[in-house]
Amino acid sequence: QVRLVESGGGLVQPGGSLRLSCAAAGSIFSIYAMGWYRQAPGKQRELVAAITSGDSTNYPDSVKGRFTICRDNAKNTVYLEMKGLKPEDTAVYYCRMNKLGGYWGQGTQVTVSS
């Protein structure tokens, strides 16, 4: 059974940085694409970063240049480095493994506020 556990969320001031981690267990990790999504209150869940098994990455314009996704296959972990955080980045952040119908973690809250 696949299990994804996110960590690293918290409260940060505008302009600050955070690094989120997502540790995977119960599956081969390296062969699957991984993604980070977020969902703010009253809004749909949206993709903020994706990385393929070959380390190709993709970002929406809203976070391009501020967010960086990377993976460490030896640790079965995917990371999301976030810089220049804005209040509109406030959301619950989820990681997803692109295996079969997709597996999700439980999410970690990121709050950007002064």
Side-chain angles (χ1 to χ4, degrees):
Q1 183 176 350
V2 177
R3 194 163 72 103
L4 303 173
V5 180
E6 300 98 334
S7 61
L11 174 64
V12 63
Q13 292 187 342
S17 301
L18 279 176
R19 188 176 82 153
L20 306 184
S21 301
C22 172
S27 172
I28 297 172
F29 177 78
S30 62
I31 65 174
Y32 294 105
M34 298 293 296
W36 282 98
Y37 293 72
R38 67 185 179 190
Q39 188 166 20
K43 294 189 176 181
Q44 288 189 331
R45 192 171 296 189
E46 62 175 353
L47 176 71
V48 295
I51 186 167
T52 68
S53 58
D55 287 341
S56 294
T57 59
N58 183 47
Y59 307 92
D61 289 342
S62 59
V63 306
K64 197 171 291 183
R66 299 190 297 122
F67 289 12
T68 302
I69 187 172
C70 63
R71 63 192 301 160
D72 184 338
N73 292 331
K75 295 183 178 180
N76 285 4
T77 301
V78 61
Y79 302 96
L80 183 67
E81 189 79 38
M82 304 185 293
K83 299 179 180 179
L85 284 162
K86 306 175 182 179
E88 51 263 43
D89 295 318
T90 295
V92 178
Y93 283 71
Y94 301 88
C95 71
R96 180 182 185 272
M97 176 179 281
N98 190 24
K99 175 180 179 178
L100 299 177
Y103 290 88
W104 294 90
Q106 83 289 347
T108 186
Q109 176 71 46
V110 172
T111 302
V112 185
S113 175
S114 56

